[in-house]
């Protein structure tokens, strides 16, 4: 709905497509379409398991994909011998771990992405640096130049989780072989116990994303060699140095103050010793 609002109703050529396994969420999605005046012929929402029974095989690739898949859920993985030959997962040569399906959702979205399209997927941060099969899938994504940007978001942003999630943006038509990393952990305002992205926060993130520019302590455009040299680690903190907000201490001034305190302490001790000596004489 937000995409239509930004792009304009006329820019949505074929309509909206989606898939959801939870029937309540599925029905809410369909109701939401009607509430926003999207005709029945302009959307195709399926209620089915995305990883095991993907729908929309016969539809053309999608130019815009947005997804917020469940974090680190279990799935069949290599227990199902058919999945390694699934055209969505086979290109990476390895399946996402059975206990963590995150990368399977990413490969699913990538397979449906048009050559001129963009996919934005909200991810659990662990998939950006964990080893094993997930590292091999990251290697596939980077070696084939699919990862356009990784955006680290603030914590306490989404309902139901307090972790600082991130967004992986994928494209198949990148003009270069670099990956942009954006640290947006401070781009928010506190609202009760949660954080919220305000319009100005979103504008700054989008502006830097669009310009693909270096911004100290905020964004870094990493080369393929830099990412591969870091064992395909895609964690934003690896590439964007956090700003040091600690108070800067003048060590020379501090040392002078300590000397002054020690001298004052000694003077007080001498005064106390005199008082004690007088008391002892009087006793």
């Amino acid at each position: 709905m937000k995409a239509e609002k930004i792009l304009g109703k006329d820019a949505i050529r074929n309509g909206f497509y989606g898939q959801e396994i939870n029937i309540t969420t599925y029905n809410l999605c369909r109701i939401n379409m009607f509430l926003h005046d999207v005709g029945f012929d302009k959307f195709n929402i399926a209620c089915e398991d995305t990883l095991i029974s993907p729908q929309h095989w016969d539809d053309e690739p999608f130019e815009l994909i947005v997804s917020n898949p469940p974090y680190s859920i279990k799935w069949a993985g290599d227990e199902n011998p058919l999945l390694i030959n699934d055209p969505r997962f086979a290109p990476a040569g390895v399946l996402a771990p059975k206990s963590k399906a995150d990368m399977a959702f990413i490969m699913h979205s990538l397979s449906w992405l048009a050559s001129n399209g963009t996919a934005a997927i909200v991810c659990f941060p662990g998939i950006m640096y964990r080893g094993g099969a997930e590292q091999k899938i990251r290697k596939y994504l980077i070696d084939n130049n699919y990862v356009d940007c990784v955006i680290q978001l603030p914590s306490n942003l989404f309902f139901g989780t307090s972790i600082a999630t991130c967004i992986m943006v994928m494209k198949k038509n990148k003009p270069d072989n670099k990956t942009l990393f954006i640290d947006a952990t401070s781009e928010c305002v506190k609202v009760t116990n949660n954080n919220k992205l305000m319009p100005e926060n979103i504008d700054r993130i989008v502006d830097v994303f669009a310009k693909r520019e270096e911004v100290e302590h905020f964004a870094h455009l990493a080369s393929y060699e830099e990412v591969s040299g870091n064992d395909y680690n895609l964690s934003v903190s690896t590439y964007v140095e956090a700003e040091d907000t600690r108070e800067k201490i003048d060590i020379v001034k501090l040392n002078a103050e300590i000397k002054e305190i020690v001298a004052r302490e000694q003077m007080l001790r001498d005064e106390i010793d005199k008082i004690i000596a007088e008391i002892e004489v009087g006793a």
Side-chain angles (χ1 to χ4, degrees), residues 263-274 276:
R264 176 64 176 166
E265 180 187 20
Q266 187 58 51
M267 185 179 71
L268 292 173
R269 284 186 178 278
D270 291 342
E271 293 295 327
I272 291 171
D273 288 343
K274 288 179 183 179
I276 292 174

Side-chain angles (χ1 to χ4, degrees), residues 88-137:
R88 297 171 297 163
F89 311 128
V94 64
L95 295 171
K98 288 184 290 185
S99 60
K100 304 175 182 69
D102 309 74
M103 280 297 186
F105 284 106
I106 287 175
M107 291 297 293
H108 167 83
S109 293
L110 179 65
S111 68
W112 255 269
L113 184 62
S115 59
N116 64 335
T118 299
I121 305 170
V122 182
C123 303
F124 179 74
I127 70 169
M128 300 299 173
Y129 58 80
R130 289 191 300 231
E134 291 176 313
Q135 182 189 36
K136 292 178 181 177
I137 296 174

